[in-house]
Amino acid sequence: MLKIFSKRMKNKKGFTLIELIVVIAILGILAGIVVPKFGGFTEKAKVEADKTACKTIQTAVLVALTNEDISGTGTITINNTGDTKFEKSDAITVKSDTTLKAVMENLLGSDVKAQAKNKTKFEATIDAKGDVTVVTAE
């Protein structure tokens, strides 16, 4: 039994400190290359989320126009600083028994937020033909 134990003690195998430092350095270099690439994916995802939100807002405005909850031409601004605020230009009218905020929250919900960097609002523009264009803005 003692012979087996002493034999194992003589055959010590493992990593040296230098080998461990080299492995850690290689991992650090790889992390330095990979982490910034993930940041790019995040920003692209936020931009795509804003594009999807624009399409959703466009559909909601078209539904409101179709239901005659709103009418006219102009711009509806959806601010997402603090509470979501729905503002309209003077040329857009809202049914007398409701407000623009109530109409839009009914269709969109109250939590409409631009995701991309430096974007704080959406602007939905209704032209004379009834076409709706939505963009993100600062």
Side-chain angles (χ1 to χ4, degrees):
M1 176 86 165
L2 286 175
K3 285 184 182 181
I4 294 172
F5 184 70
S6 65
K7 194 175 191 180
R8 282 194 179 183
M9 291 298 286
K10 288 179 184 176
N11 290 332
K12 289 183 182 178
K13 294 186 179 179
F15 295 109
T16 65
L17 182 60
I18 292 175
E19 291 170 328
L20 290 173
I21 290 173
V22 168
V23 168
I24 291 170
I26 291 171
L27 289 174
I29 291 168
L30 289 174
I33 293 170
V34 172
V35 169
K37 293 204 181 250
F38 282 125
F41 289 130
T42 304
E43 188 59 31
K44 285 180 186 176
K46 288 179 179 182
V47 169
E48 290 301 317
D50 283 351
K51 287 180 183 177
T52 303
C54 285
K55 290 177 185 174
T56 303
I57 293 167
Q58 180 181 23
T59 303
V61 171
L62 286 170
V63 167
L65 285 168
T66 304
N67 291 341
E68 297 179 352
D69 290 330
I70 61 173
S71 59
T73 61
T75 301
I76 297 172
T77 303
I78 303 167
N79 291 318
N80 61 357
T81 52
D83 280 341
T84 302
K85 295 178 185 167
F86 299 92
E87 301 168 1
K88 64 180 179 62
S89 64
D90 292 336
I92 295 176
T93 58
V94 182
K95 262 188 183 178
S96 61
D97 60 342
T98 188
T99 65
L100 179 66
K101 184 171 182 170
V103 170
M104 296 308 290
E105 281 186 352
N106 183 40
L107 296 169
L108 292 171
S110 61
D111 191 24
V112 181
K113 296 207 180 297
Q115 303 293 319
K117 195 181 280 188
N118 299 325
K119 303 298 180 185
T120 60
K121 63 185 173 184
F122 294 97
E123 291 179 343
T125 304
I126 306 167
D127 66 14
K129 295 179 187 176
D131 293 332
V132 178
T133 307
V134 183
V135 295
T136 55
E138 292 182 28

